[in-house]
Amino acid sequence: RFLPGGPLAFLPLVDGRSSIVWSLPNAEAVTLLAAAEAEFLAALQEASGGVLGALRVTSPRAAFPLAMVRAHEYCRAGVVLVGDAAHCVHPLAGQGMNLGLADAVCLADTLGAACEAGEHVGDLRVLDRYVRARKGANLGMQLALDALDRLFRLDAWAMPIRKLGLAAVDELPAAKRMLMRRALGSPATRGQTH
């Protein structure tokens, strides 16, 4: 849910529970972290609009500042960064893990191709192929998520524009499929290594 203070996401876990990512201004986050469990649950229930029914907390609350971070260098000879070590994204769409998995697949493909070609897998020329395939895609997703976060933090005057944009995407199946493929990191968007 995109709320005035920031997005609220329920990310499903295998055991039926959800991990909650709730982006809030610092003062509100501090207040909710210090709140009694009943008060926190009431605020969460209201923010969620009750879409999942009655909620309960099963783990401690934690907070950390959100920042768009990316490494200037993804690799040096013999060393390569993947996932959150190379780039961090806003958690509003749950894309951090997808980007990390796409990095790992690309790196495995790159190293596999290098082995087949008799190249040393730690060579900078080999690792640069992974960097060329992933750095731009990761930056594109970082910028898109940052723009989306900023769009939904705009004042109430922007709500009709946001609704119009989301409705347009919903009504354009090709655009929706493209965004879904991009979010899932389909092979066409991961970049080719060879």
Side-chain angles (χ1 to χ4, degrees), residues 138-161:
N138 291 335
L139 179 59
M141 183 61 80
Q142 281 185 300
L143 294 174
L145 292 172
D146 186 60
L148 191 59
D149 178 50
R150 290 172 190 268
L151 173 68
F152 280 94
R153 286 183 188 271
L154 290 175
D155 292 331
W157 66 264
M159 189 170 293
I161 299 168

Side-chain angles (χ1 to χ4, degrees), residues 85-104:
H87 47 80
C88 292
V89 297
H90 193 294
L92 68 86
Q95 289 303 300
M97 182 174 159
N98 290 356
L99 290 176
L101 291 173
D103 286 353

Side-chain angles (χ1 to χ4, degrees), residues 95 98-99 101-103 105-106 109 130-141 174-193:
Q95 289 303 300
N98 290 356
L99 290 176
L101 291 173
D103 286 353
V105 167
C106 181
D109 289 348
Y130 154 77
V131 173
R132 285 191 304 274
R134 292 301 306 152
K135 198 169 188 179
N138 291 335
L139 179 59
M141 183 61 80
K176 189 189 277 188
R177 280 192 304 276
M178 186 272 304
L179 289 171
M180 288 171 52
R181 278 194 310 271
R182 178 81 178 159
L184 293 171
S186 67
T189 64
R190 283 199 305 248
Q192 300 300 318
T193 58

Side-chain angles (χ1 to χ4, degrees), residues 48-62:
S48 72
V51 296
L52 294 178
L55 302 172
R56 64 186 172 91
V57 176
T58 61
S59 64
R61 291 170 253 167

